[in-house]
């Protein structure tokens, strides 16, 4: 019999003791870790909880009681925290256990009815009134203490270093405010319920007094939130002013930066990137620390002189006071040996650099000179490759598995394996995944981006395009298989893929993208255990999920449909009518629920427009109905010469959103669009034509004349030019 069972045996009455025992059983490892993180437990406590195994629940209960997060008369802080962490089901169960244990009288009370005291008893009500008053007073004092601390803080005249420390301190205070607000709200609701239930036993004067205390606390919490926001803005404004020598954030060219973590994004304008680089250079020259710089897909290359070139052309010079440099490239980029070596040399020149992080890229074999490794080792610079969970061993020049906390960090973010990455890189990623499985570290998701080749007959291993073998993983939550467009996965292979995913003990979803799946799966594939753990098999490009009971495809939830529509929908000619029907079904549901569909692209799948209904007929014979939430229709009909009837029918279909594009096909020289103008819903047509599919050769339709206009030269297409285009098109497709 385990320790918890013995504890239960020793309890002769129900009460807070039994509640704590049952609570320790109710909290799972995930909830315990998230609560410890939310409440900022010390690292040694979190490590103890992580390694305690069966005793983690008991230890967590002891920690919560010691810190005042649960008490015999109040567990609201715990239940609110569970809801914040997304564990609403656990929160409801905890509340139920608390009610069951704390509302039952003791055997002694049951034996002596004379001592049985109802909730409304005047003496009990008086005692509970005092407890509520004391609790509200303590919360009010805590809120006023935080406000006093804020009001005594003056950002004017502070140095950059002091302001950076203030920002860190404010972030910690903000967490305390959120926790205080949550606890305060629960306490106020609890007290108001007490007043309603005991109205006959609490005098009007005392009722009025405690309600005034509730209002005081509510006002104080609102004041704290407003004051926190004002102080943040004050410190940030002062930081910018100091860094720019008197300029403030009102200057249009100034981008506010937090020197604890500066992020330069590829999507930032050249002016904004230059502004941030200037501030960083000035901060470094003044000897002020820059904790972390993150180039978010903004790294282009590194020059021979050692400066980093950003995607906009802005140059990033050496920054002597930077501590951490993160190079996050576009997904799947293959970095050259010269770039990798140059970046390591950049790190050596930045004298205070402690850590170099690479993410999103495939790094080359380590042929960097011994001198560079020696300098990295001498300076103590750590080089981390996030995608593989490895760090550079500067003594040997090889990659070694990173420490467990960093592997956990990578796994929590999710792992992506790309198609064109080398066999060696895939090998390092597999090594990290095996390590995570061994240490039972959950992997948020594993995305196989066109690198999946096949699965072994027993469903225990994936064969990747690089030749590497990926064994089944017991600690992955979601597997996303992204294939090349239009790949057909037969039923036997599909069954094996489900068997592979089911070997994970915490699997939540197996997801497929860009491929075609079979209409059903054999009954032997879906085990009763698989059904019981609510394992989800989703087909993202059709917005459907596999019903594990009858093994057929059903419409997925609205969130998945929204995600399926989010990046547009591609409909391919080579896909079966079964897949086309599923796509039409989920598009119709999306339209009925006003979920935006950015575009639908018909990839050689357009046949004609139905004259009766106005719907589009696909090559499979399936009909694409009118969709009220569609924003754009794209027709890619490679090698086809569409008729005036085709174009008019498609324009009529598109009149609700009036955005239509054609690619890799040839269109009539002139179109009678005037008869469609009166029925145009959005007011103006936007019709584009890309004859060879390239964006640089684009024509737009003049909806007044029905003629084509070159979008580059802004001139109309003459009869001679049109004839030359037609001759070239027919020669290319040998018509």
């Amino acid at each position: 019999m385990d320790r918890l069972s013995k504890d239960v045996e020793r309890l002769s009455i129900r009460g807070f003791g039994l509640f704590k025992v049952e609570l320790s059983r109710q909290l799972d490892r995930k909830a315990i870790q998230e609560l410890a993180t939310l409440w900022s437990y010390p690292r040694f406590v979190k490590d103890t909880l992580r390694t305690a195994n069966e005793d983690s629940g008991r230890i967590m209960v002891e920690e919560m009681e010691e810190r005042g997060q649960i008490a015999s008369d109040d567990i609201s802080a715990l239940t609110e925290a569970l809801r914040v962490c997304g564990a609403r089901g656990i929160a409801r169960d905890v509340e139920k256990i608390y009610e069951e244990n704390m509302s039952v009288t003791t055997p002694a009370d049951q034996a002596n009815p004379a001592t049985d005291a109802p909730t409304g008893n005047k003496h009990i009500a008086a005692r509970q009134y005092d407890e509520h008053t004391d609790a509200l007073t303590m919360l009010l004092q805590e809120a006023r203490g935080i406000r006093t601390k804020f009001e005594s803080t003056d950002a004017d005249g502070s140095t950059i270093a002091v302001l950076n420390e203030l920002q860190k301190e404010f972030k910690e205070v903000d967490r305390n405010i959120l926790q205080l607000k949550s606890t305060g709200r629960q306490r106020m609701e609890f007290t108001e319920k007490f007043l309603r239930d005991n109205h006959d036993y609490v005098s009007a004067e005392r009722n009025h007094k405690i309600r005034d205390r509730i209002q005081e606390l509510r006002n104080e919490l609102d004041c704290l939130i407003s004051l926190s926001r004002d102080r943040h803005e004050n410190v940030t404004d002062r930081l910018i002013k100091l860094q720019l020598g008197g300029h403030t954030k009102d200057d249009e060219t100034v981008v506010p930066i937090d020197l604890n973590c500066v992020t330069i994004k590829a999507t930032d304008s050249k002016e904004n990137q230059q502004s941030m680089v200037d501030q960083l250079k000035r901060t470094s020259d003044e000897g002020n620390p820059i904790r972390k710089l993150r180039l978010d897909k903004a790294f282009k290359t590194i020059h021979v002189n050692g400066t980093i070139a950003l995607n906009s052309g802005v140059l990033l010079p050496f920054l002597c006071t930077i501590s951490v440099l993160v190079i996050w490239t576009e997904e799947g980029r293959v970095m050259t040996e010269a770039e990798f070596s140059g970046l390591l040399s950049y790190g050596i020149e930045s004298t205070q650099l402690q850590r170099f992080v690479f993410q999103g890229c495939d790094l080359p074999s380590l042929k960097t000179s011994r001198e560079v490794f020696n300098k990295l080792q001498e300076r103590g610079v750590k080089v981390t490759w996030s995608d593989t969970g490895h760090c550079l061993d500067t003594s040997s020049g090889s990659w070694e598995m990173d420490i467990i906390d960093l592997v956990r960090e990578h796994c929590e973010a999710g792992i992506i394996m790309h198609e064109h990455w080398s066999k060696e890189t895939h090998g390092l990623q597999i090594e990290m995944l095996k390590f995570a499985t061994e240490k039972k570290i959950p992997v948020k998701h594993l995305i196989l981006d066109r690198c999946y080749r096949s699965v072994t007959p027993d469903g225990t291993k994936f064969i990747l395009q690089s030749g590497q073998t990926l064994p089944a993983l017991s600690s992955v939550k979601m597997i996303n298989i992204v294939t090349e467009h239009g790949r057909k996965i037969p039923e036997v292979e599909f069954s094996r893929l489900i068997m592979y995913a089911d070997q994970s003990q915490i699997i939540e979803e197996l997801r497929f993208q860009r491929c075609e799946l079979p209409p059903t799966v054999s009954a032997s594939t879906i085990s009763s255990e698989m059904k019981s753990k609510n394992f989800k098999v989703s087909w993202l490009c059709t917005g459907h999920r596999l019903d594990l009971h009858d093994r057929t495809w059903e419409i997925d939830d609205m969130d998945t449909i929204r995600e399926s529509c989010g990046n547009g929908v591609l409909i391919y000619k080579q896909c079966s009518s079964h897949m086309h029907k599923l796509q039409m079904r989920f598009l119709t549901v999306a339209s009925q629920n006003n979920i935006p569909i950015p575009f639908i692209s018909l990839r050689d799948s357009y046949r004609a427009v139905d004259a009766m209904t106005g719907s589009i007929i696909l090559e499979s014979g399936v009909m694409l109905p009118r969709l009220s939430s569609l924003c754009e229709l794209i027709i890619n009909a490679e090698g086809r010469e569409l008729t005036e009837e085709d174009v008019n029918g498609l324009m009529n279909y598109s009149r609700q959103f009036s955005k239509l594009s054609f690619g890799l096909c040839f269109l009539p020289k002139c179109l009678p669009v005037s008869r469609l103008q009166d029925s145009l819903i959005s007011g103006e047509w936007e019709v584009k034509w890309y004859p060879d599919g390239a964006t640089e050769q684009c024509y737009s339709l003049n909806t007044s004349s029905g003629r084509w206009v070159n979008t580059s030269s802004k001139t109309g297409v003459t009869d001679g030019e049109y004839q030359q285009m037609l001759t070239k098109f027919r020669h290319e497709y040998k018509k």
Side-chain angles (χ1 to χ4, degrees), residues 382-397:
K382 184 172 184 179
V383 183
T384 302
W385 189 359
S386 293
D387 303 281
T388 67
H390 283 64
C391 62
L392 181 63
D393 182 350
T394 50
S395 60
S396 64

Side-chain angles (χ1 to χ4, degrees), residues 295 299 301-303 306-310 314-316 325 327 343 346:
L295 303 184
F299 170 77
T301 188
I302 185 160
H303 291 166
T307 56
I308 291 176
L310 304 182
V314 172
L315 298 180
L316 178 67
L325 178 58
I327 305 292
L343 285 168
Y346 179 97

Side-chain angles (χ1 to χ4, degrees), residues 478-597:
M478 191 264 277
I479 300 173
N480 188 356
I481 298 177
V482 184
T483 70
E484 56 277 13
H485 282 298
R487 172 171 173 174
K488 295 181 185 292
I489 294 182
E491 183 181 337
V492 173
E493 183 179 2
F494 183 45
S495 298
R496 292 170 181 169
L497 289 168
I498 294 175
M499 290 164 55
Y500 176 95
D502 188 42
Q503 291 171 77
S504 171
Q505 297 172 4
I506 59 173
I507 190 69
E508 296 173 358
E509 183 177 5
L510 173 61
R511 175 177 288 193
F512 294 89
Q513 288 181 256
R514 298 185 179 178
C515 55
E516 180 169 353
L517 300 177
T520 187
V521 66
S522 64
S524 60
T525 302
I526 312 297
S527 64
S528 56
E529 182 183 350
M530 199 182 301
K531 296 175 185 176
S532 65
K533 64 183 179 183
N534 201 24
F535 172 35
K536 179 179 177 181
V537 181
S538 59
W539 190 0
L540 201 63
C541 51
T542 68
H544 281 65
R545 64 186 293 173
L546 186 67
D547 186 321
L548 299 180
H549 294 278
D550 62 14
R551 308 185 312 284
T552 58
W553 294 101
E554 63 179 7
I555 282 285
D556 214 326
D557 56 69
M558 288 299 114
D559 287 339
T560 304
I561 289 178
R562 193 172 285 107
E563 183 181 356
S564 299
C565 294
N567 295 318
V569 179
L570 308 178
I571 301 177
Y572 287 89
K573 175 183 179 179
Q574 60 266 39
C575 293
S576 66
S577 60
H578 165 68
M579 182 172 176
H580 284 167
K581 287 176 182 177
L582 294 184
Q583 287 182 302
M584 297 312 107
R585 188 198 299 176
F586 108 85
L587 287 169
T588 301
V589 170
S591 183
Q592 290 170 347
N593 288 274
N594 297 317
I595 296 174
I597 308 168

Side-chain angles (χ1 to χ4, degrees), residues 16 81 184 214 268 458 626:
F16 192 56
I214 291 173
D268 292 333
D458 58 0
R626 293 182 184 274

Side-chain angles (χ1 to χ4, degrees), residues 53 87 148 215 220 224 261 279 282 320 363 386 436 461 494 591 644 680:
N53 298 325
T148 301
Q215 190 58 46
E220 195 67 44
L224 263 186
C261 183
Q279 292 178 67
R282 187 179 298 109
C320 296
L363 297 179
S386 293
K461 296 176 184 176
F494 183 45
S591 183
E644 184 179 307
L680 183 60

